[in-house]
Amino acid sequence: QVQLVESGGGLVQAGGSLRLSCAASGSIFSINAMGWYRQAPGKQRELVAHIRSRGSTNYADSVKGRFTISRDNAKNTVYLQMNSLKPEDTAVYYCNADLETGATPRGDYWGKGTLVTVSS
């Protein structure tokens, strides 16, 4: 069984920074890509940032230049460094992993989410 556990969310003032972490554990054979999504109240879940196994990344236009995604393959962990936070960044942030286990085909796995609140 695979688990993705996020941490690092919280309350921060506009202009501040937070660092989210997500650790994947369980019977993981390989991780192809990991990413962060977010969902604000009343809105659809959207991609924030994505990183492939070889390190290539992509970001939502709204966070380019402010957020940085990175990963530690040895620890099956992905990070999201969020700087210059804005009130519109307030959302529940979800970790996603495209991975393979020893027993199941390649698929998407999700964490339960961590709340980020940015006050003005």
Side-chain angles (χ1 to χ4, degrees):
Q1 190 172 1
V2 174
Q3 281 191 318
L4 274 61
V5 179
E6 303 103 334
S7 61
L11 174 63
V12 64
Q13 288 189 332
S17 298
L18 282 175
R19 188 189 193 214
L20 305 183
S21 300
C22 170
S25 63
S27 302
I28 298 170
F29 177 70
S30 65
I31 299 179
N32 302 298
M34 300 186 80
W36 290 94
Y37 290 71
R38 67 185 181 188
Q39 187 165 18
K43 295 188 177 181
Q44 290 188 330
R45 190 174 298 189
E46 63 176 1
L47 174 69
V48 176
H50 182 259
I51 184 166
R52 294 172 182 81
S53 58
R54 295 187 178 183
S56 62
T57 59
N58 63 287
Y59 295 89
D61 288 343
S62 59
V63 306
K64 282 180 181 177
R66 300 188 297 123
F67 290 11
T68 301
I69 189 170
S70 61
R71 63 187 282 180
D72 184 333
N73 290 335
K75 296 181 179 180
N76 289 339
T77 299
V78 65
Y79 307 95
L80 185 68
Q81 178 66 44
M82 305 186 293
N83 299 328
S84 303
L85 283 160
K86 304 176 181 180
E88 51 263 43
D89 294 318
T90 295
V92 177
Y93 283 70
Y94 297 92
C95 176
N96 170 269
D98 171 8
L99 59 83
E100 300 174 59
T101 72
T104 58
R106 178 176 172 178
D108 270 336
Y109 292 80
W110 293 89
K112 293 183 178 180
T114 184
L115 177 62
V116 171
T117 303
V118 184
S119 63
S120 57

